[in-house]
Amino acid sequence: MSYEVKNEQLVKWVSEVASLCSPDKIHWCDGSQEEYDELCNLLVQGGTFKKLNQEKRPNSYLACSDPGDVARVEDRTFICSISKHDAGPTNNWTAPKEMKETLTKLFRGCMRGRTMYVIPFSMGPLGSPIAKIGVEITDSPYVAVNMRIMTRMGKAVIDVLGNGEYVPCLHSVGAPLEPGQKDVPWPCNKEKYIDHFPEDRSIRYIGSGY
């Protein structure tokens, strides 16, 4: 990593996810403009982004997703609380133990051939008493660049976090690459799960490029 992370629990979790998902590389996002530009160039080279006219639309890109992919599917979204009652009357529910067993099978080896991005982020101004810090692990550079747009992201978040608590968020497009296999512009998988675990305050999402 390009900076020191003192939060031992976070370092342990990242190591556990890497062992499960088997990425080729691990990149801790620092949130810099240089990193953002490099990831955007990577997405252009892979066909995910198309750079727009820089005179009319500076620093702008067109991203075309797979027609079969959406950011969230209602019937694949689950609240995995211990009590079904706590999920509420309008949400899908599955017991957390059962769902974690299902997800472990799907996440095992899911990042082969890809880079695993570790994205520390803050929902709200850094240091604000009402801001919430999370760490998202993903194998999607598209997700990484959008997290920089939508949140405060990178090394500065790690500095504020210290040894404090964070919301662990695990995401994968669910499309491992075999040696020599050519990637597609928008990798995704028809089998999707969007799962929230209230008791351990974690989020796990697999199958979408969003």
Side-chain angles (χ1 to χ4, degrees), residues 55-174:
E55 292 182 5
K56 295 181 179 179
R57 294 288 185 267
N59 303 315
S60 297
Y61 301 86
L62 169 69
C64 296
S65 64
D66 186 296
D69 193 21
V70 292
R72 194 173 79 83
V73 186
E74 193 66 36
D75 64 359
R76 307 307 301 158
T77 302
F78 298 87
I79 306 298
C80 302
S81 52
I82 292 173
S83 166
K84 183 176 181 179
H85 175 77
D86 291 341
T90 60
N91 294 311
N92 301 311
W93 175 84
T94 298
K97 183 176 183 294
E98 178 185 340
M99 183 57 76
K100 285 181 179 180
E101 289 174 352
T102 297
L103 291 176
T104 295
K105 294 175 184 177
L106 293 174
F107 274 105
R108 182 168 288 116
C110 67
M111 296 186 185
R112 280 195 315 271
R114 301 189 181 278
T115 296
M116 186 175 98
Y117 299 94
V118 183
I119 310 170
F121 66 94
S122 176
M123 299 295 286
L126 287 172
S128 167
I130 61 171
K132 300 298 181 183
I133 289 180
V135 178
E136 179 168 16
I137 293 178
T138 180
D139 54 4
S140 168
Y142 174 84
V143 168
V145 298
N146 278 279
M147 287 297 285
R148 187 179 187 271
I149 294 170
M150 296 187 294
T151 71
R152 279 80 169 179
M153 180 268 268
K155 178 184 180 299
V157 179
I158 290 293
D159 295 338
V160 171
L161 174 63
N163 285 310
E165 295 183 350
Y166 61 92
V167 176
C169 311
L170 176 56
H171 167 258
S172 173
V173 296

